Structure formats: C-alpha cells, structure tokens
C-alpha cells in the first residue's frame, strides 16, 4: 500500500522541479519548432544542393543520436575547447537540436502536402512569397503536420528526464532524491507519474483540440 500521508507531505517537493522541466521544455521546443520549420522550408522550396545535404545530414544526425550523448558533448566536451555553457542552457540547446530534426520531418510532411497548383494560383493573383507562406502554405501544412508535431512535443518533454546528469533538479532527479533519502520507492514513482501527468496531459488535450479546430476550418 502507498503511504498517502508521505505523498501528501512531500508532493510539493516537485513544484520547483515541474517549473524547471516546463521551462527547459518550453524554450527547447520553441527553438526546435523554429529550426524545424526553417529547415523544412529550405529543403522544400529553396533547394540548394549543398544546403539541402547539410540539412539532411543534420536531421539524420539529430534523430539518430540520443539526447544523453548530445548533453555530454555540450557540457563536458565543449569546455575542453574553451566553450562553457550553463547546465540549463545545455539542456535547452540539446533539446532544441534533437527536436529540430524531428520537427523538420513533421513540417516537411505538411509542406509537401500543399499542391503546386495552389501555390501557382496564389502567385497568379498577386500574393508575394511571404503572403503565400502565411495565407496558403502554413494553414494547409499545419493541418497535416499538427498530429506529428504534437507527438514530437510530448516526446521531447519526456526526453527532459535525462537532464539530471547535468545536476539539474528535474522531476526524475527529485524522485531519485526521495528514494535515496526516505527509501519510499513506490511513493516517489507515484509522485513522478503525477508530475508528468500535470505537464503532459494538458499538452495532449491542447493538441487534440487544435487539430479538431484546424480540420473544421479547412
């Protein structure tokens, strides 16, 4: 049986950890979305051979190397050449680097769903390239890419569980501390589950609502 009194007394230990996890996730995912969208645009509409190859290499490299290894490189290897980054910044940069590769593929899937005839029609009525992207390409691309983007966001939030190696007190780090200090393994794991539900469940509901609303508008 779970010790409910212990859980009630110690659940607030996770408050700062949830805030830190949310902060790292928010900034890392926003940067990942920007990186992914720009890369997808460049390889979908502005195909420059060497640039496309660099982006394709980045996407494959980012998606096929664990975040843990990327964090080790940022935090332990870069100082050897004089580049020192704070643990929190390392976590954000690592998450953005990893997420950018996944988001690029999601956005590329959406962009490729926009027909050439629609693009040509928009240009023929006088839309400039920016207007074309804002009013024609993005709405249609997002309707296709949104489910994949939502899955990537949830995946990236869960990936923050490894930032504890940088001595950042995220929710998993706090759970380990509670187990080490109090020996309450099941209670700590239950509170860890609740902490991730607090972060992930609203995101899951949000993307579900956004997807339904976008499909209705289209």
């Amino acid at each position: 049986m779970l010790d409910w009194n212990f859980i009630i007394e110690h659940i607030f230990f996770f408050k700062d950890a949830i805030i830190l996890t949310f902060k790292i996730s928010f900034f890392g995912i926003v940067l990942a979305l920007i990186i992914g969208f720009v890369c997808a645009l460049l390889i979908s509409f502005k195909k420059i051979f060497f640039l496309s190859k660099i982006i394709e290499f980045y996407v494959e490299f980012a998606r096929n190397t664990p975040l843990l290894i990327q964090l080790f490189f940022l935090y332990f290897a870069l100082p050897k050449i004089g580049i020192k980054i704070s643990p929190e910044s390392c976590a954000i940069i690592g998450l953005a680097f990893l997420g950018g590769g996944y988001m690029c593929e999601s956005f590329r899937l959406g962009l490729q769903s926009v027909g050439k005839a629609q693009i040509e029609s928009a240009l023929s009525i006088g839309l400039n390239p920016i207007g074309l992207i804002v009013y024609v390409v993005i709405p249609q691309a997002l309707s296709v890419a949104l489910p994949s983007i939502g899955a990537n966001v949830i995946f990236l939030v869960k990936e923050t569980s490894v930032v504890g190696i940088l001595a950042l007190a995220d929710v998993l780090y706090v759970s380990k501390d509670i187990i080490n200090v109090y020996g309450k393994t099941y209670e700590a794991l239950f509170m860890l589950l609740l902490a991730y539900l607090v972060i992930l469940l609203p995101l899951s509901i949000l993307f579900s609502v956004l997807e339904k609303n976008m499909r209705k508008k289209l």
Side-chain angles (χ1 to χ4, degrees):
M1 292 291 290
L2 293 175
D3 186 343
W4 293 105
N5 288 329
F6 179 87
I7 291 172
I8 292 169
E9 289 173 5
H10 294 83
I11 192 69
F12 295 104
F13 283 20
F14 284 83
K15 184 188 70 172
D16 291 338
I18 289 173
I19 293 172
L20 176 64
T21 300
F22 180 81
K23 182 179 178 182
I24 291 170
S25 300
F26 176 80
F27 288 108
I29 290 169
V30 167
L31 288 173
L33 287 167
I34 294 170
I35 293 168
F37 184 67
V38 171
C39 288
L41 276 179
L42 290 173
I43 60 178
S44 296
F45 296 113
K46 290 288 184 180
K47 290 191 176 181
I48 303 171
F49 179 76
F50 76 92
L51 189 58
S52 296
K53 292 300 179 184
I54 290 172
I55 292 172
E56 287 172 8
F57 173 79
Y58 156 67
V59 170
E60 292 302 318
F61 182 80
R63 295 176 67 194
N64 290 288
T65 53
L67 178 59
L68 184 66
I69 304 302
Q70 296 172 12
L71 293 180
F72 270 122
F73 175 78
L74 289 169
Y75 192 68
F76 296 107
L78 288 185
K80 300 293 184 181
I81 58 173
I83 302 174
K84 293 183 179 180
I85 309 173
S86 70
E88 195 171 302
S89 297
C90 281
I92 292 171
I93 293 169
L95 198 67
F97 182 84
L98 174 70
Y102 283 93
M103 294 301 181
C104 177
E105 289 299 286
S106 296
F107 281 120
R108 179 160 66 170
L109 177 68
L111 291 172
Q112 288 176 347
S113 70
V114 182
K116 290 184 179 179
Q118 292 173 308
I119 294 174
E120 291 171 358
S121 298
L123 292 173
S124 68
I125 63 174
L127 273 181
N128 58 36
I130 294 176
L132 171 66
I133 292 172
V134 172
Y135 297 111
V136 178
V137 174
I138 290 180
Q140 293 185 65
L142 273 181
S143 67
V144 174
L146 198 58
S148 177
I149 291 171
N152 288 340
V153 167
I154 291 173
F155 162 74
L156 291 172
V157 173
K158 289 189 286 188
E159 280 291 288
T160 61
S161 61
V162 303
V163 302
I165 65 158
L166 307 180
L168 290 170
D170 70 316
V171 289
L172 183 59
Y173 188 95
V174 172
S175 297
K176 290 178 179 177
D177 268 359
I178 290 175
I179 293 171
N180 291 334
V181 174
Y182 300 100
K184 297 283 190 178
T185 302
Y186 296 114
E187 286 78 6
L189 292 176
F190 180 76
M191 288 187 284
L192 176 63
L193 174 64
L194 289 180
Y196 274 114
L197 277 176
V198 166
I199 299 170
L200 294 173
L201 189 58
L203 285 174
S204 180
I205 294 171
L206 173 63
F207 278 103
S208 178
V209 171
L210 286 174
E211 184 183 347
K212 288 179 182 177
N213 288 341
M214 187 160 287
R215 290 189 181 281
K216 285 179 181 177
K217 289 180 180 178
L218 294 176

